[in-house]
Structure formats: structure tokens, C-alpha cells
Amino acid sequence: QSALTQPASVSGSPGQSITISCTGTNSDVGNFNLVSWYQHHPGKAPQLIIYEGTKRPSGVSNRFSGSKSGSTASLTISGLKAEDEADYYCCSFAGSNTWVFGGGTKLTVL
Amino acid sequence: QLQLQESGPGLVKPSETLSLTCTVSGGSISSNSYYWGCIRQPPGKGLEWIGIVYYSGNTYYNPSLKSRVTISVDTSKNQFSLKLSSVTAADTAVYYCARQKRAYDAFDIWGHGTMVTVS
């Protein structure tokens, strides 16, 4: 069970859109539609922003959207705001009731 | 609003056992709608899933940690606990408790985390 692969960092200007990728294998991302995404401001509790690949929990802005192609899941944030600056993590079901996280991506809003 | 609070020793000596307690408030741990999980983040690194426990006591662990991990639940105290044995410096991390909502297959509520240093 290896960690999912995410870019270490991405950046964008306010109002722009950015996409964060999350690459796994046929044992996790590629085999299940059970990818979730979390926003983490350091020192605070992580927050669920996407579940089951594309769904948003109640209260999460529709500026956040998720997708998947093959073994790569993606998180897109549109209309970037300063408050979106945070670390983002993906997580996937990996079979046999086990889960694997990505290494995290630091988003900088320029 | 359900909340999770981690409590731990802060500092553990190498080769000893790390013990962490997660207290659930504002809701019952004895619900068939949720699992209760432990996740950690070593300094400068990403999140690592440790394992989950169901209120009935069923557990599922990260294969890479399975030989050293025990997660248990105490429904009378509305708590679940993590024990990690034979710790080394590599186990130094912020440890989080989280609720996994079965309908979402995702961790929808997290604690703020507690730093545990092995030294």
C-alpha cells in the first residue's frame, strides 16, 4: 500500500482555477469510485470537501469539484480566493476496508 | 455538533507503547452509521491512515502498521483508543482522530490533532 501521488505544490492568482491531481493504481483509485479530498489549514482540523470522487458535503462551496480518469483523481478549485490557501489531501479506498492518503499539495494563492 | 478530542502523552520513549485516547462529544459512538479512525501526519510529511474501529469492536488496520497497532472502543465512555507498540523516532507525528461516515466513505469530522514525539 503506497501513498497516492500528488504534486508538492500548485499556485494560482485570485479568480483563477487550479487543478490538483492524485495518482494511484488499479488497486485503489483506478478500481473504486471512493476518492475523498480534504482541505487542511495548518494547526486546524482537516475538512472534508469532496467524497465519492465528485460529491460535496453540505456547506462546501461549489467552487470545489472532483473528477477521475483511470487511476488519477483530480480536485479543481475555481474562482480562487485567498482563504483557499491550504494543504490539500486526497484519500482512496484500497480494498479490504483499508484506505490510503496522498502526500499532500500545498496551494499558494498569489 | 459532534466533536472529537485527542488526548495523549506528548512524549514517548523509543521502544515503548504510544497510547492515544479519542473522546467523542455531542453524539454517540454507538452508531451503525460510522467508523472511528486514527490518522497521523509526521513533521513535513503527508497524512497516513492508521486504522478504523466500529462500535462493535471490529477493526481494520494499515498493513504496514498492523503488527504494532491496536484500536479499541469503549462505548460506556464514548471513547476509542489507539495503542502503537515498539515506537521509534519515525512514529513522531501529529495524531488525529476522525469519524468516517459510512454513507460518504470519507472522514467527515476530525479532531484538531495532538503532537506525539518519540525521544
Side-chain angles (χ1 to χ4, degrees), chain A residues 1 34 36 38 40 43-48 50-52 57-58 89 91 96-104, chain B residues 35 39 41 45-49 52 60-64 96 100 102-112:
Chain A
Q1 189 186 65
L34 294 176
S36 50
Y38 303 86
H40 188 203
K44 294 191 173 183
Q47 180 190 358
L48 174 67
I50 296 288
Y51 68 96
E52 292 181 355
S58 174
Y89 293 90
C91 178
S96 301
N97 234 332
T98 65
W99 300 82
V100 60
F101 280 91
Chain B
Y35 286 100
I39 296 144
Q41 183 176 28
K45 296 187 177 182
L47 298 172
E48 180 180 29
W49 180 77
I52 53 175
Y60 304 91
Y61 300 135
N62 186 323
S64 68
Y96 294 97
Q100 185 181 33
R102 294 181 68 191
Y104 286 4
D105 281 313
F107 297 96
D108 67 329
I109 297 178
W110 296 62
H112 281 79

Side-chain angles (χ1 to χ4, degrees), chain B residues 4-57:
Chain B
L4 294 164
Q5 179 66 56
E6 304 90 348
S7 56
L11 183 64
V12 182
K13 291 182 169 56
S15 79
E16 294 189 343
T17 296
L18 179 160
S19 295
L20 179 75
T21 297
C22 304
T23 301
V24 179
S25 60
S28 174
I29 202 170
S30 300
S31 169
N32 62 6
S33 298
Y34 309 105
Y35 286 100
W36 305 93
C38 299
I39 296 144
R40 69 181 183 180
Q41 183 176 28
K45 296 187 177 182
L47 298 172
E48 180 180 29
W49 180 77
I50 299 172
I52 53 175
V53 62
Y54 197 49
Y55 78 96
S56 63

Side-chain angles (χ1 to χ4, degrees), chain B residues 40-117:
Chain B
R40 69 181 183 180
Q41 183 176 28
K45 296 187 177 182
L47 298 172
E48 180 180 29
W49 180 77
I50 299 172
I52 53 175
V53 62
Y54 197 49
Y55 78 96
S56 63
N58 287 356
T59 53
Y60 304 91
Y61 300 135
N62 186 323
S64 68
L65 298 171
K66 189 173 184 177
S67 64
R68 299 194 291 129
V69 171
T70 301
I71 301 177
S72 58
V73 63
D74 186 336
T75 55
S76 68
K77 294 183 178 179
N78 227 32
Q79 293 177 335
F80 60 105
S81 298
L82 165 71
K83 291 189 185 302
L84 181 66
S85 64
S86 304
V87 297
T88 69
D91 295 309
T92 293
V94 176
Y95 284 77
Y96 294 97
C97 301
R99 185 182 81 172
Q100 185 181 33
K101 188 169 182 175
R102 294 181 68 191
Y104 286 4
D105 281 313
F107 297 96
D108 67 329
I109 297 178
W110 296 62
H112 281 79
T114 186
M115 181 70 198
V116 179
T117 301

Side-chain angles (χ1 to χ4, degrees), chain A residues 14 20 54 62 66-67 69 71 86 110:
Chain A
I20 299 171
T54 61
N62 60 8
S67 63
S69 177
S71 296
L110 302 171

Side-chain angles (χ1 to χ4, degrees), chain A:
Chain A
Q1 189 186 65
S2 299
L4 306 176
T5 301
Q6 298 181 234
S9 64
V10 298
S11 62
S13 299
Q16 288 186 331
S17 294
I18 62 95
T19 296
I20 299 171
S21 61
C22 169
T23 301
T25 68
N26 288 335
S27 297
D28 38 62
V29 176
N31 199 30
F32 306 100
N33 290 318
L34 294 176
V35 173
S36 50
W37 289 90
Y38 303 86
Q39 178 189 63
H40 188 203
H41 290 103
K44 294 191 173 183
Q47 180 190 358
L48 174 67
I49 53 175
I50 296 288
Y51 68 96
E52 292 181 355
T54 61
K55 299 176 182 178
R56 284 187 307 277
S58 174
V60 172
S61 171
N62 60 8
R63 296 186 300 106
F64 295 93
S65 62
S67 63
K68 191 185 92 165
S69 177
S71 296
T72 298
S74 298
L75 171 71
T76 297
I77 308 174
S78 58
L80 269 182
K81 298 182 178 182
E83 65 208 48
D84 297 331
E85 187 162 293
D87 298 322
Y88 291 84
Y89 293 90
C90 60
C91 178
S92 175
F93 184 61
S96 301
N97 234 332
T98 65
W99 300 82
V100 60
F101 280 91
T105 298
K106 181 177 179 58
L107 169 62
T108 300
V109 181
L110 302 171

